[in-house]
């Protein structure tokens, strides 16, 4: 009996972990970010594009319901800036313009240190702009802000 109550406690603990959506078209960078967040006890939902992220957030074409009605709660979005189709900046704009998602913090990551790009993202509502490569210390700093 003791083992079944232990399992139930682990399930509750798992549900209480913060949930991050990692958006990056580069599979290697996306997997690195997934591993870093998982190491810091985050639940991770990966998305390979801005459009896929919006679909997961139920804002894209073919969206059926708001993400919160599906029981999926995203606490943070970490997106690459340079992606084909929809940039991280465009994703940031869409997230911040929607009443359903505007409260979700967005962090933009990029390998390019371009001050005007950084200012533009922060002005549009990004919580932070982090230069790649994303490191464990970056993820730990994000976690300590909560």
């Amino acid at each position: 009996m003791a083992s079944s109550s232990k399992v139930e406690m682990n399930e509750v603990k798992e549900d209480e972990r913060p949930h991050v959506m990692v958006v990056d078209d580069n599979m290697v960078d996306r997997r690195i970010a997934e591993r870093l967040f998982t190491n810091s006890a985050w639940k991770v939902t990966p998305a390979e594009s801005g459009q896929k992220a919006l679909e997961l957030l139920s804002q894209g074409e073919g969206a059926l319901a708001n993400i919160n009605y599906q029981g999926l709660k995203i606490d943070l979005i970490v997106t690459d800036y340079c992606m084909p189709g929809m940039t991280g900046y465009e994703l940031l704009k869409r997230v911040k313009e929607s009443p359903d998602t505007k409260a979700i913090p967005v962090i933009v990551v990029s390998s390019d240190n371009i001050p005007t790009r950084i200012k533009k993202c922060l002005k549009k509502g990004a919580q932070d702009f982090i230069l790649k490569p994303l490191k464990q210390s970056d993820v730990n700093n994000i976690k300590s802000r909560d």
Side-chain angles (χ1 to χ4, degrees):
M1 284 293 185
S3 63
S4 82
S5 64
K6 188 175 182 179
V7 170
E8 289 172 17
M9 287 175 60
N10 287 341
E11 288 174 8
V12 170
K13 192 170 189 172
E14 172 129 345
D15 291 340
E16 292 173 356
R17 290 186 304 160
H19 193 169
V20 61
M21 179 181 291
V22 174
V23 187
D24 200 318
D25 63 307
N26 182 302
M27 184 180 67
V28 172
D29 288 342
R30 191 171 61 244
R31 292 242 170 106
I32 290 170
E34 286 179 54
R35 176 161 296 169
L36 294 174
F37 277 100
T38 300
N39 288 345
S40 287
W42 288 75
K43 288 188 286 188
V44 180
T45 296
E48 67 277 359
S49 68
Q51 187 59 45
K52 179 66 175 175
L54 290 178
E55 289 171 13
L56 291 168
L57 291 167
S58 297
Q59 290 186 29
E61 291 180 30
L64 300 176
N66 178 292
I67 190 167
N68 293 323
Y69 296 124
Q70 297 174 3
L72 184 62
K73 181 182 179 294
I74 299 293
D75 299 299
L76 175 67
I77 298 170
V78 176
T79 181
D80 184 26
Y81 184 90
C82 293
M83 295 184 292
M86 177 184 291
T87 67
Y89 177 74
E90 291 165 337
L91 174 60
L92 168 67
K93 282 179 24 179
R94 293 278 300 271
V95 167
K96 293 303 176 184
E97 289 168 357
S98 169
D100 294 329
T101 57
K102 68 181 177 184
I104 301 172
V106 178
I107 294 177
V108 180
V109 294
S110 178
S111 55
D112 301 322
N113 187 1
I114 302 172
T116 54
R117 179 181 291 173
I118 295 168
K119 286 179 188 173
K120 181 171 81 167
C121 289
L122 294 174
K123 185 176 179 181
K124 190 45 101 174
Q127 178 177 319
D128 203 352
F129 192 104
I130 299 174
L131 292 175
K132 284 184 176 182
L134 194 63
K135 300 176 288 303
Q136 192 67 57
S137 59
D138 296 322
V139 173
N140 294 344
N141 288 336
I142 293 166
K143 184 113 173 141
S144 67
R145 292 182 206 164
D146 294 343

